[in-house]
Amino acid sequence: MGVWYFLILFVGLFFVFKGLFMKKQSLLIKKISIVFVGLLCISFSIFMFSTGSAEIISDLLNLE
């Protein structure tokens, strides 16, 4: 499972760097949304690496 969390982390880092260092003159909303999605991916992967996250997710999804 850790492989998938690392993949999400690297995708999030890619989105953050892509949003921050876009060279084209694109919309500010597009840049902010790409950075926001990247930060969400990074925060989710860091949360899933923490201890006890599996129990929290199973409680949220009502899995037993």
Side-chain angles (χ1 to χ4, degrees):
M1 294 301 286
V3 174
W4 298 109
Y5 304 149
F6 272 115
L7 182 66
I8 293 171
L9 178 69
F10 291 134
V11 167
L13 288 172
F14 173 75
F15 281 151
V16 168
F17 285 121
K18 181 175 174 68
L20 290 177
F21 298 116
M22 286 179 130
K23 294 193 185 241
K24 293 183 180 178
Q25 293 290 339
S26 60
L27 294 172
L28 182 64
I29 295 171
K30 185 177 179 181
K31 286 183 179 183
I32 291 173
S33 63
I34 290 173
V35 171
F36 182 71
V37 168
L39 290 174
L40 280 176
C41 290
I42 292 170
S43 62
F44 177 72
S45 66
I46 290 174
F47 167 72
M48 290 307 291
F49 277 123
S50 67
T51 58
S53 63
E55 289 84 12
I56 294 171
I57 297 297
S58 68
D59 287 342
L60 286 174
L61 298 176
N62 293 327
L63 300 174
E64 294 184 22

